[in-house]
Amino acid sequence: MTKKITILGSTGSIGQSTLDLVRRAGADAFEVIALTANSNVDDLVTQTHEFRPRFIALADVTRGDALRARLSGVDVQIGIGPEAVVEAARIRSDFTMAAIVGAAGLPPTLAAVEQGIHIGLANKECLVCAGELFMHSVRRHGAMLLPVDSEHNAIFQVLERNKPKAVKRFILTASGGPFWQKSLADLRSVSCTDALNHPVWSMGARISVDSATLMNKGFELIEAHYLFDRASEEIDIIVHPQSIVHSMVEYIDGSVLAQMGTPDMRIPIAYALCWPERMEAPVQQLNLAEVSQLTFFEPDLARFPALKHARTAMETGGFAPNILNAADEVAVTAFIGESIKFLQIEEVISRTLEICMSQFPADHDPMVLADVIAVDEQARQTAGKVIASL
Ligand code: NAD
Ligand code: MG
């Protein structure tokens, strides 16, 4: 049976890899219902010609006319603005890939969840910014979350979900990013080009910088906490530079189950697209003799304090993880725009957290989307002021 699919963020790294698998599987396997992008008109036009979706949405209103002009005479409905992205997510499909980057992915992904369908969850920010609210909506609408983040996909694959008491802990692996062997003194002078040059994975800009600070792993800690309902002390992080072991589950009898594979996001994407079946993916076969060594190291919190901030935010709860994400988005954008240095990313985050946490006490986790968006906005403004003061 043909699976109807929608891709939120189809022009990004995860979006394009998803379409690569869809293309190879053929029109009998998948029918593309809707595609969305932020401002990349060129790629959205090309994808529209190739995959013939019924609806496309572009979030950036300033590019709307350009998109319409390029597609005049083509049989496709076009929506412009952030509301149109949410509208795309509401169109009936069987599977939606949530691959927008940042907190902007939250409203449309929630709209997809409300359909009670299968969701391929790449946008970890949904769980970082509003974990409790998001999981509540997933349960209420009977949606099936299929983690696409490679670590959570690994855990999903090896987790015996019907025996929660048999699980002792999760071990999330981290590649360590491009800088894990650099000293603090070296980190003072690293450039954005260095940060974007990930040794193993090829990804969008924001997650690449987050991998360099290890904030990405911090977000993944929070993601695992909400996704699998595990406490902080049940989730450990270990640096594994080869990125072959994608994560592990330790059971009470001492067994540790790992999922392995070459570092190619098309593996977890294919798993999510087809679950509970499996499909062929055009990935390089894992050759362990060639890899030869799998090494593991304790993460260094002194050089990579992002991990500490993320764990504290998760344990604090309330709006803390939401503020953490907003501060990181603003700081990473400033770093990419070369208005702050690498180590100042952490400074912006810790100062924004300090200021905002006194304004928004962590007495309960937010359960209303409008509150999450309001605090996100406030934290962005604060982070902007912190940057201006540096
Ligand atoms: P990317 O930057 O390559 O692509 C992001 C997509 O989101 C693009 O299609 C862009 O047009 C769209 N977008 C950006 N801002 C938007 C906005 N304001 N409104 C609507 N759409 C917007 O990012 P990516 O690397 O593909 O990552 C996407 C998500 O998947 C992120 O949450 C990331 O953490 C997660 N993820 C990515 C990888 C990876 O290998 N790339 C791995 C694990 C998880
Ligand atoms: Mg990951």
Side-chain angles (χ1 to χ4, degrees):
M1 215 181 77
T2 312
K3 197 179 262 191
K4 293 182 166 52
I5 73 162
T6 283
I7 304 175
L8 306 172
S10 64
T11 56
S13 166
I14 295 287
Q16 305 243 23
S17 294
T18 306
L19 284 173
D20 180 52
L21 291 169
V22 167
R23 176 186 298 119
R24 290 165 195 267
D28 288 345
F30 297 105
E31 179 190 348
V32 176
I33 299 297
L35 298 175
T36 82
N38 186 31
S39 59
N40 186 340
V41 170
D42 285 348
D43 284 354
L44 191 56
V45 166
T46 307
Q47 292 176 353
T48 301
H49 286 303
E50 180 178 356
F51 294 98
R52 298 278 163 187
R54 293 183 208 164
F55 186 89
I56 57 171
L58 194 74
D60 182 350
V61 287
T62 67
R63 308 280 293 134
D65 289 345
L67 180 68
R68 286 190 201 283
R70 294 273 301 275
L71 289 171
S72 77
V74 177
D75 182 22
V76 62
Q77 269 183 280
I78 301 174
I80 306 296
E83 318 73 40
V85 178
V86 174
E87 195 184 334
R90 290 221 170 92
I91 300 172
R92 189 75 209 166
S93 70
D94 301 316
F95 176 96
T96 290
M97 175 59 81
I100 290 173
V101 62
L106 179 59
T109 307
L110 273 174
V113 162
E114 283 165 16
Q115 289 197 45
I117 56 172
H118 286 192
I119 307 286
L121 189 70
N123 177 282
K124 62 196 83 183
E125 292 89 346
C126 283
L127 290 167
V128 175
C129 300
E132 204 57 53
L133 182 166
F134 190 80
M135 292 309 291
H136 177 79
S137 187
V138 165
R139 286 188 293 271
R140 178 162 161 225
H141 296 284
M144 180 71 204
L145 277 190
L146 298 158
V148 170
D149 214 347
S150 55
E151 297 75 6
H152 308 73
N153 184 271
I155 289 173
F156 187 88
Q157 291 201 39
V158 297
L159 182 61
E160 297 179 15
R161 273 181 291 285
N162 55 349
K163 299 181 199 116
K165 291 207 173 97
V167 174
K168 192 161 183 194
R169 65 173 175 147
F170 293 160
I171 306 162
L172 294 178
T173 52
S175 70
F179 300 150
W180 79 277
Q181 279 176 309
K182 288 205 185 293
S183 68
L184 253 185
D186 289 342
L187 289 178
R188 243 168 232 134
S189 57
V190 293
S191 72
C192 181
T193 314
D194 299 333
L196 292 178
N197 190 14
H198 197 282
V200 189
W201 297 98
S202 152
M203 311 179 285
R206 197 258 173 138
I207 183 174
S208 295
V209 176
D210 282 343
S211 297
T213 59
L214 288 199
M215 183 56 91
N216 179 51
K217 208 52 53 181
F219 288 154
E220 291 181 355
L221 176 72
I222 302 172
E223 183 183 8
H225 164 69
Y226 285 110
L227 197 51
F228 301 112
D229 195 19
R230 290 281 156 186
S232 181
E233 56 277 12
E234 294 173 302
I235 315 170
D236 283 341
I237 293 169
I238 194 159
V239 175
H240 166 47
Q242 296 81 14
S243 292
I244 297 294
V245 175
H246 296 303
S247 278
M248 298 168 258
V249 177
E250 180 182 312
Y251 290 90
I252 48 175
D253 61 4
S255 284
V256 178
L257 300 196
Q259 184 263 353
M260 298 197 282
T262 44
D264 186 326
M265 284 308 292
R266 289 176 300 183
I267 296 175
I269 294 171
Y271 186 86
L273 268 175
C274 267
W275 183 88
E277 307 301 327
R278 285 186 189 264
M279 67 188 276
E280 266 188 54
V283 299
Q284 215 185 348
Q285 195 169 32
L286 177 60
N287 182 335
L288 282 174
E290 210 165 79
V291 176
S292 142
Q293 279 196 335
L294 299 179
T295 54
F296 301 91
F297 305 89
E298 283 297 334
D300 178 354
L301 301 190
R303 280 179 306 136
F304 299 101
L307 284 176
K308 215 169 40 193
H309 288 309
R311 200 177 276 279
T312 306
M314 176 176 87
E315 289 170 355
T316 307
F319 287 103
N322 187 23
I323 295 164
L324 177 79
N325 175 71
D328 182 74
E329 282 196 37
V330 173
V332 168
T333 305
F335 173 67
I336 292 171
E338 295 182 0
S339 44
I340 62 171
K341 299 249 186 240
F342 184 74
L343 289 180
Q344 288 178 315
I345 297 176
E346 193 270 330
E347 211 177 321
V348 174
I349 291 169
S350 59
R351 283 174 60 183
T352 305
L353 273 168
E354 206 180 291
I355 298 167
C356 291
M357 285 310 290
S358 61
Q359 296 163 335
F360 304 104
D363 50 0
H364 65 283
D365 275 16
M367 294 305 286
V368 179
L369 180 59
D371 294 346
V372 175
I373 293 172
V375 172
D376 171 271
E377 188 49 46
Q378 181 85 37
R380 278 169 205 269
Q381 281 176 23
T382 305
K385 285 182 196 152
V386 170
I387 289 172
S389 75
L390 287 177

